[in-house]
Amino acid sequence: MAGGRLPGLLLLLHAAARLAAEQEVENLSGLSPNPEKDIFVVRENRTTCLMAEFAAKFIVPYDVWASNYVDLITEQADIPLSRGAEMKGKCGTNESELELSWLEQAYTLKLFFLKEGHNTSRGPEAFWRLSRIQFTYDTSERTYFKDAVSPGKHTASSHRLSALVTPAGKSYECQAQQTISLISSDHQKSVQLLLSEVRLQPFDIPADFVFSEEHKCPVDQREQLEETLPLILGLILGLVIVITLGIYHIHLKLTASQVQIPRDRSQYKHMG
């Protein structure tokens, strides 16, 4: 009888180990010097498979009664991602997910990532992107929603999203603020997700807790160019001035070594 129970027990232990591996996640937000920035790590089989660092805030419109208690007016809730957020993660070869919830699951953010390939003039190339966002919020929660009309849970989702596009094998980095619009089930209101100080990699992490080479967003690339362009122009201008002075100095030397022919013809008789 005991021999028959042993295989079943081993099977349960194996299933539990697999489940634990899938849910090995860490909220490392306390390591960030920026109180608005969060750090999340998903690990499977003791290996990091997804890392995310970012500051996030949601701007959510909601209805309240006007002072006459007849008309509705729209207020705005600014909801930051809490540093104490609970998290779940899921890694795959071509699909990965990150789920965050806070304030007793009054708010839940789900990020879905997809890796795919396409053909270019240089041949096949692979890249990953943020393919879908889902944000669930409860307007009966009183920290950010005050006197909401018909309070309850709503879900705001992205529509045909293709964001943070990054070559496969690289991490995405963007210090600038980005705004992503989500459509809410609350009368199709537009919810804004503000992301900043982003460093993210959902696939192909080379070592534990180590990002791959970064792929900077276009805004950061443009700002970096704007910062370095004056320096480059200054160096070019300085080089032009040095070259000009050098040519002028050489010209003076050459002209000084040449025989000077008198301009006054009366002096010719003394020559020779």
Side-chain angles (χ1 to χ4, degrees), residues 65-110:
W65 289 114
S67 57
N68 58 13
Y69 292 97
V70 175
D71 300 319
L72 291 176
I73 58 176
T74 300
E75 294 287 351
Q76 178 177 288
D78 293 351
I79 306 170
L81 173 60
S82 172
R83 297 198 83 168
E86 298 178 4
M87 63 175 293
K88 297 179 182 179
K90 180 181 177 182
C91 294
T93 304
N94 297 313
E95 295 183 13
S96 294
E97 300 175 14
L98 179 63
E99 179 180 329
L100 311 170
S101 60
W102 62 102
L103 283 181
E104 298 181 352
Q105 297 189 338
Y107 307 101
T108 301
L109 170 63
K110 293 181 180 180

Side-chain angles (χ1 to χ4, degrees), residues 30-31 64 86 90 108 132 145 148 170 172 236 252:
L31 299 178
V64 299
E86 298 178 4
K90 180 181 177 182
T108 301
R132 187 159 64 94
F145 293 99
K170 291 188 176 184
Y172 176 88
I236 293 174
L252 288 179

Side-chain angles (χ1 to χ4, degrees), residues 7-124:
L9 180 60
L10 291 175
L11 185 61
L12 286 174
L13 290 174
H14 178 67
R18 287 187 59 189
L19 182 61
E22 290 174 358
Q23 297 180 347
E24 189 179 352
V25 294
E26 296 182 71
N27 185 335
L28 304 177
S29 302
L31 299 178
S32 174
N34 182 353
E36 297 180 352
K37 185 176 180 179
D38 296 276
I39 303 174
F40 305 102
V41 175
V42 179
R43 304 177 79 240
E44 289 186 357
N45 301 319
R46 299 181 180 180
T47 302
T48 303
C49 58
L50 185 154
M51 290 198 297
E53 300 181 9
F54 55 84
K57 181 175 72 173
F58 296 88
I59 300 177
V60 182
Y62 66 102
D63 294 332
V64 299
W65 289 114
S67 57
N68 58 13
Y69 292 97
V70 175
D71 300 319
L72 291 176
I73 58 176
T74 300
E75 294 287 351
Q76 178 177 288
D78 293 351
I79 306 170
L81 173 60
S82 172
R83 297 198 83 168
E86 298 178 4
M87 63 175 293
K88 297 179 182 179
K90 180 181 177 182
C91 294
T93 304
N94 297 313
E95 295 183 13
S96 294
E97 300 175 14
L98 179 63
E99 179 180 329
L100 311 170
S101 60
W102 62 102
L103 283 181
E104 298 181 352
Q105 297 189 338
Y107 307 101
T108 301
L109 170 63
K110 293 181 180 180
L111 303 175
F112 300 86
F113 303 96
L114 181 65
K115 185 167 73 170
E116 53 195 356
H118 57 197
N119 293 319
T120 67
S121 57
R122 298 183 297 273

